[in-house]
Amino acid sequence: MYYFALLQTPEHSLTPEQGQAEMAAYTEFHARAASAIRAGDALAAAAEGVRISGGPDHPVVTDGPFAEGAEVAGGYYVFEADDLDEALQLARQVPAAGYGAVEVWPMVHWNAPEQATTGSDWLALLLEPADQVTTPCTPEWDEGACQHADFNAAAGFHVLGGAPLHPPTTATTVRVRDDEVLLTDGPFAEGAEVANGFYLLRAADRDEATKIASMIPASAIALRRLAGVANL
């Protein structure tokens, strides 16, 4: 099975020494978990991001920075694991779990990119009101799947990959504090909106990425540029 891991971390500046230590920790994690990592990257600063609401017919674009909590999305992974327990074992080893949190979501299926992503590519996180998230294999889900098929056809080569996520009741948040693993059912933060899928997009710049993401059939989209620091 495939699992989407969204890293929630404090956004702060690191000294050169702290940056080197952080990179070394992730390099070590990648070496240990290489057989299970199918994709991943850090995300550029939230101030570079865009939020799109209103749906494809009436998109409203808001530039970052945004009024968020102490932690913001700082990166993502796609893990392949036999079951949720194995995925959580991987998540607890992610360095961000030690000072932030890692949300682990079962993916319905994984459309893997055929080419490596770069620092010019974008993560579009699809958001829906918690009471409007549909369940796979229902008529409402099938209707949404048809809309996403239309989007994929229209966006063409700009869509590198992506996945729908199972409902938020299946998510688990992982934190590690003083070597103790803390597991919480559900997403990291309770709110009016929850993630229900993501796309990896290729675009020439933020304006083009915003134009493409505005076509996605979702109530809202959090658009963040990939940092291009991982070659997974």
Side-chain angles (χ1 to χ4, degrees):
M1 295 181 62
Y2 294 102
Y3 295 86
F4 178 63
L6 186 64
L7 283 54
Q8 301 282 0
T9 60
E11 191 166 44
H12 59 277
S13 299
L14 299 177
T15 66
E17 292 78 12
Q18 290 172 329
Q20 291 176 1
E22 178 101 336
M23 186 62 69
Y26 275 95
T27 299
E28 181 181 345
F29 168 66
H30 292 167
R32 290 197 310 269
S35 62
I37 299 174
R38 295 294 171 262
D41 204 341
L43 301 179
E48 296 184 35
V50 169
R51 177 183 169 85
I52 304 166
S53 58
D57 293 334
H58 304 285
V60 177
V61 177
T62 304
D63 294 336
F66 311 102
E68 301 189 55
E71 281 85 17
V72 298
Y76 83 98
Y77 288 104
V78 173
F79 296 137
E80 184 174 6
D82 289 337
D83 52 32
L84 178 60
D85 287 342
E86 184 176 325
L88 296 178
Q89 286 291 336
L90 291 163
R92 66 183 290 183
Q93 300 176 56
V94 177
Y99 54 86
V102 180
E103 292 180 1
V104 179
W105 297 74
M107 296 159 58
V108 179
H109 55 74
W110 168 225
N111 297 320
E114 295 183 356
Q115 50 192 308
T117 56
T118 72
S120 298
D121 298 326
W122 297 78
L123 174 74
L125 186 64
L126 283 54
L127 303 171
E128 294 291 344
D131 61 353
Q132 294 182 25
V133 174
T134 57
T135 302
C137 302
T138 62
E140 294 80 10
W141 171 273
D142 292 341
E143 180 181 352
C146 290
Q147 295 174 351
H148 282 279
D150 291 342
F151 163 70
N152 276 270
F157 71 90
H158 292 289
V159 176
L160 299 178
L165 305 177
H166 280 283
T169 53
T170 67
T172 305
T173 298
V174 182
R175 299 175 179 85
V176 178
R177 300 293 186 270
D178 297 324
D179 295 326
E180 181 181 358
V181 179
L182 308 174
L183 302 179
T184 306
D185 291 338
F188 167 71
E190 293 185 4
E193 296 172 331
V194 295
N196 79 328
F198 70 96
Y199 281 104
L200 299 171
L201 303 176
R202 175 148 295 171
D205 52 32
R206 188 174 78 161
D207 287 344
E208 184 177 46
T210 301
K211 181 178 179 180
I212 297 163
S214 297
M215 300 162 54
I216 298 173
S219 294
I221 296 126
L223 184 66
R224 297 282 299 279
R225 184 176 64 81
L226 302 184
V229 299
N231 184 18
L232 303 173

